[in-house]
Structures are given as structure tokens and as C-alpha cells.
Amino acid sequence: SSNGPEVTIIDGEGVRRVVQCSSGETSKTIIEGLTITNGYSELDGGGMYCNGGDPTVINCTFVNNSASFSGGGMYNHSSSPTLDGCTFNNNIAANSGGGGMYNYSSSPTLTNCTFTGNYAILYGGGMRNNAGSNPSLTNCTFTNNFAQFGGAMDYAADSVPSINNCQLVSNGAYFQAGAIYVG
């Protein structure tokens, strides 16, 4: 968009996924300056779903998206997208993890991104990393995210995120680890 996410809104109307990259997209596929909202998936990735795609996502807002299973805001499967200046607000993963973002065998790069008020029924209110996912996060903020395990973030033992100069503030968990849960 030429005018930014405040004016360029793609609305899934609560009945469909908003963006899907599953055709081998590379970093030359640039998604920039959008609000991705009210997306819904009966499975994964209500706002955005990447399966084998590595797009570049810049200055986008993911808000009020939901998935019945994982990745309310964004779901990555065998993908390594690059995100810069993106915001994940009030996204929900209703039956598993990654309210804001779920990574499965994926290693996205996130810079200057914020995760606020996201919710997952089980793991990683802000972000869930599983199956060898090794995301790199720099200058990211996680605030007021909630899950049963790992309010801000959760990662399985086979995943190793790189977290540099990030802030995790006021996240909560019903059972364990308001900040980061490893399990």
C-alpha cells in the first residue's frame, strides 16, 4: 500500500483467511503497509498462512485474526519469511498455540515487531515454535500476551530461537512461564 496500514485494510470478515503464500514465494514477494484483520481459518493461520513460502512482510498490522487450531495472526510451515516493523494485536489460536504467530519447521526473521494482547489456549500466546523452528528476533516487544504455557513465547526442545534486545513485559500464563516456556 502506498498510504500504510492505517488506510489499507484487508478484512477477512471472520469467515476466511486473509493472505496465503504457498507457491514457493521468495523474499522478492513483498507485502507492505497493510492491516490484515478479521481473518479466520478452521485450521491454521487466520491472518496469514505460509507453507513453503519466504515472503518479506514490512510494516503490516495483524489484528483480530483467529484460527481454530494454531497461528491466529500468522502460521509458518517450512517457511522463513522476513518481517520488519510488523504488529500482532489481539489474535487468537483457539485449540493449540501461537496466538500471534506459530512456526512449524520454520525460521522467520523478525525485526522491530510487537506482539500485544494475543492469546493461545495452550502454548505461546505471542509465539509458538515447534519442529525445529529457529526464529531470529531483534528489537521485538511482547506485552500482555497469554497462554496456559508461555505467555509471551513457547518453544519445543528441538527449536532454538535467537532473541536479541527484545522486551517481554506483563505477559501471563495460566500454568507456567509468563515469559518463555520450553517444553
Side-chain angles (χ1 to χ4, degrees), residues 124 127 129 142 149-155 161 163 168 171 173 176-183:
M127 179 185 289
N129 302 293
F142 289 77
F149 300 93
M153 182 185 299
D154 165 82
Y155 63 93
I163 304 169
L168 288 73
N171 298 285
Q176 293 181 4
I180 299 174
Y181 179 78
V182 181

Side-chain angles (χ1 to χ4, degrees), residues 29-86:
T29 299
I30 299 173
I31 300 165
E32 183 172 3
L34 304 173
T35 290
I36 295 166
T37 189
N38 296 320
Y40 171 75
S41 172
E42 289 184 16
L43 294 173
D44 304 313
M48 184 170 181
Y49 180 84
C50 291
N51 186 358
D54 302 330
T56 299
V57 184
I58 302 168
N59 191 31
C60 287
T61 299
F62 296 80
V63 61
N64 297 328
N65 298 291
S66 63
S68 289
F69 197 67
S70 298
M74 180 181 216
Y75 183 92
N76 298 308
H77 183 272
S78 300
S79 299
S80 295
T82 299
L83 290 86
D84 188 4
C86 293

